[in-house]
């Protein structure tokens, strides 16, 4: 079967756009092929700084012929309707149509035959449309044609289009089309400097090999592997180890077509600046990697850069140029850091009075006061020193006003720790300045120092309550204030530190400290609890737990101790993995289903204790006895928070429940016996609610 080779050759494509652009090209072309009846075998897209490329193999040489039936007017319909039917179907007369009987009458049916076209003609039709409608996040027009209506928009000036199609055993044909004066062909170009001459290509294997010979590594993953391997080896040869950075690696691989790894250096005096500032400076400004001394774990005065050319001087000029720029950047960073050290953190805080946090929630200074007050309330609940927690909350945001954080926002918090230590603050206070932002995602580390935990909780709960109070809740996929992340952070802080803390009670304290009050303050705790429940489902699902178990536990009501909820869900999950758990769940659901039907029929509930005098069968008596024992045992276990023991107690219900449904007819002819047995079923449901609402659990 024939294969397609497509390349769109342009000026440099921004690295951040390349991966998505390659995926978009693959998706758009293959979707169009399938829509045209050309089902392919496989496709792969590639991106370099100067090209997007796509290979699709196993495309049929021709579309299949299509035969469709079109229903026409009734037999005897007006001539205008008949003529419209003949024109739409391409029939010459009604003699070529067939008649189909229908309950509403006899109708003409036209058979429309649409012969398939050659795949190369279909490609020549769809590819220009895809190129013209390509979804670049930003695009431009250029040259003399740019002023004309309908001129091509592309991320950077497009210079050439390669498009060939044909079977592996034959010379492929050019898919002929034109886009804004650029005609498709089979000519591409290699490295801009090392091999700029035009290259004639046929199919993908030939194309990839010739590009490699022309100093272009087409596959981004191959470029990444080469950069990482060479960088590690170069660092190791000098006695250092590479500080790996996946995001930087992805970006650098999008900046070069022929990666050449080199090492430069800078003056040791710059190492007096914190490692994170050095790394941010070198990474952000020059897209270079840093290395560290494996003996000390500290950064070395070396960096690794990735050039896009094999220089005749071995890269000496390139290294010197990067060293010159990095030296200037590090000098700036060192100046910022040393300048910051001259001003104490608390002396910066008055500026926050002029900085608005949110127009409805006041200034940053007001928010800091709220966090301080909340931290003082939370501290005793988690065993933290109140004075240290209050001090940490007071200083935690101050580094946002420093020069270094202004230049490198990604080191906020971290610089607060450095500056706090430099001015002699307690170690716990300093660490809290860094850690109060954590955890910022499911993979981020959770603070364990009590002071850090307190400030992190106060910060996140103040954020949640504040935006809830002004009705700025997340909607759908929109969450501009990262409230989902804040709620998940609260859950992880509580669960992973085993804290007995009600976030809803703390939220009530936070609400009391707000100057703005919601229209219905009484609804805020329940709304916020439901939001925590949703986030807890996400958290447990990521850990492999079942989200319906969270619903089953929350359905009991009054559940705002997140640690106990997590432990109860874990115990319930383990119980339901056993045969006893599965069978008891089935029995409980059967009881609930019968009760639902009968309650709906009788328009009443069957609450209240059953009458033991009406038990006529041994299975009824055995079940009633078991329910009484299990209720007491499970209730006691839950009271002492031993959920595993509660589940073990629940397991004792399985045999009598199974026997009851096997031997007892619930809807007895005697109305009193029937009512009594329905009450006994309700007791099953009531007994299981000691640990969870089993009706919320999916089978």
């Amino acid at each position: 079967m024939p294969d397609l080779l497509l390349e769109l050759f342009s000026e440099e494509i921004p690295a951040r756009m390349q991966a998505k652009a390659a995926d978009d090209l693959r998706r758009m072309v293959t979707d169009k092929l399938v829509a045209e009846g050309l089902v392919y075998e496989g496709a792969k897209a590639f991106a370099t700084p100067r090209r997007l490329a796509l290979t699709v193999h196993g495309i049929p040489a021709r579309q299949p012929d299509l035969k469709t039936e079109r229903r026409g007017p009734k037999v005897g319909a007006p001539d205008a309707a008949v003529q419209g039917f003949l024109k739409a179907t391409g029939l010459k007369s009604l003699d070529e149509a067939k008649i189909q009987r229908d309950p509403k009458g006899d109708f003409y049916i036209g058979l429309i035959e649409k012969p398939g076209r050659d795949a190369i003609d279909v490609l020549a039709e769809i590819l220009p449309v895809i190129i013209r409608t390509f979804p670049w996040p930003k695009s431009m027009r250029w040259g003399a044609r740019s002023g004309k209506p309908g001129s091509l928009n592309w991320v950077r000036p497009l210079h050439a289009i390669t498009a060939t199609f044909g079977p592996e055993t034959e010379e492929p044909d050019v898919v002929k089309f034109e886009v804004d004066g650029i005609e498709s062909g089979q000519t591409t170009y290699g490295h801009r400097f090392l091999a700029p001459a035009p290259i004639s290509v046929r199919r993908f294997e030939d194309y990839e090999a010739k590009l490699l010979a022309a100093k272009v590594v087409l596959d981004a993953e191959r470029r990444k592997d080469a950069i990482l391997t060479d960088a590690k080896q170069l660092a190791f040869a000098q006695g250092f180890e590479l500080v790996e950075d996946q995001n930087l690696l992805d970006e650098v691989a999008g900046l070069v077509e022929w990666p050449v790894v080199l090492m430069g250096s800078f003056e040791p005096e710059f190492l007096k600046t914190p490692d994170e500032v050095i790394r941010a400076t070198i990474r952000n400004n020059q897209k270079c990697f840093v290395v560290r001394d494996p003996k000390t774990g500290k950064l070395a005065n070396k960096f690794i850069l990735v050039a896009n050319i094999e220089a005749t001087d071995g890269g000496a000029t390139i290294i010197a140029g990067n060293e010159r720029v990095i030296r200037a950047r590090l000098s700036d960073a060192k100046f910022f850091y040393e300048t910051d050290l001259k001003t104490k953190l608390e002396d910066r805080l008055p500026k926050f009075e002029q900085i608005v946090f949110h127009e409805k929630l006041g200034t940053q200074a007001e928010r800091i006061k709220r966090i301080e007050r909340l931290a003082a309330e939370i501290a005793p609940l988690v065993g933290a020193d109140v004075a240290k927690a209050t001090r940490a909350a007071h200083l935690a945001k101050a580094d946002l006003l420093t020069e270094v954080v202004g230049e490198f926002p990604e080191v906020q918090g971290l610089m607060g720790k450095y500056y706090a230590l430099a001015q002699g603050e307690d170690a716990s206070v300093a660490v809290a300045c860094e850690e109060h932002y954590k955890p910022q995602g499911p993979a981020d580390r959770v603070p364990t120092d009590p002071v850090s935990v307190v400030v992190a909780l106060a910060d996140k709960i103040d954020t949640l309550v504040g935006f809830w109070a002004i009705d700025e809740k997340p909607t759908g996929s929109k969450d501009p204030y990262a409230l989902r992340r804040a709620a998940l952070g609260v859950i992880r802080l509580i669960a992973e530190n085993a804290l007995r803390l009600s976030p809803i009670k703390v939220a009530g304290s936070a609400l009391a400290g707000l100057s703005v009050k919601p229209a219905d303050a009484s609804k805020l705790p329940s709304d916020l609890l439901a939001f925590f429940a949703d986030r807890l489902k996400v958290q447990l699902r990521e850990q492999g737990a079942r989200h319906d178990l969270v619903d089953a536990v929350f359905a009991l009501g009054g559940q705002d101790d997140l640690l106990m909820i997590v432990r109860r869900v874990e115990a319930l999950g383990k119980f339901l993995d056993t045969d006893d758990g599965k069978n008891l769940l089935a029995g409980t659901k059967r009881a609930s289903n019968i009760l639902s039907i009968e309650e709906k029929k009788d328009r009443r509930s069957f609450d209240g204790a059953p009458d033991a005098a009406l038990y006529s069968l041994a299975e009824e008596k055995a079940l009633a006895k078991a329910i009484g024992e299990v209720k007491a045992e499970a209730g006691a276990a839950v009271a002492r928070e031993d959920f595993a023991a509660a589940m073990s107690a629940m397991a004792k219900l399985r045999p009598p429940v199974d026997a009851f449904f096997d031997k007892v007819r619930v809807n007895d002819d005697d109305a009193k016996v029937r009512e009594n047995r329905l009450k006994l079923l309700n007791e099953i449901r009531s007994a299981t609610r000691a640990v969870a609402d089993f009706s919320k659990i999916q089978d």
Side-chain angles (χ1 to χ4, degrees), residues 334-351:
K334 183 172 179 288
F335 173 77
F336 292 151
Y337 176 63
E338 291 174 348
T339 301
D340 286 341
L341 288 173
K342 295 175 182 177
T343 305
K344 287 192 171 185
L345 290 173
E346 57 265 41
D347 293 341
R348 300 179 182 276
L349 295 176
K351 289 185 181 179

Side-chain angles (χ1 to χ4, degrees), residues 233-254:
Q233 290 178 349
L234 184 56
F236 181 76
Q238 299 292 324
F240 305 117
E241 62 182 15
L242 178 72
V243 177
E244 295 187 36
D245 186 330
Q246 186 61 49
N247 291 333
L248 179 59
L249 180 62
D250 292 342
E251 184 175 7
V252 170

Side-chain angles (χ1 to χ4, degrees), residues 574-647:
K574 291 177 182 178
F575 175 58
L576 293 175
D577 284 338
T578 66
D579 289 339
D580 283 342
K582 292 172 185 174
N583 289 324
L584 180 59
L585 175 62
T588 304
K589 289 216 166 195
R590 185 175 176 183
S592 294
N593 291 337
I594 293 172
L595 278 168
S596 297
I597 293 169
E598 300 306 317
E599 286 171 346
K600 186 175 182 181
K601 184 191 302 182
D602 294 3
R603 296 182 180 179
R604 55 162 293 194
S605 61
F606 293 94
D607 298 327
D611 185 351
L614 293 175
Y615 296 149
S616 60
L617 299 176
E619 288 78 12
E620 289 179 282
K621 297 174 183 177
L623 179 57
K625 181 182 178 184
I627 288 174
E629 293 173 353
V630 166
K631 269 189 173 180
E633 190 176 338
V638 169
R640 64 176 185 270
E641 299 175 355
D642 187 349
F643 300 114
M647 300 303 163

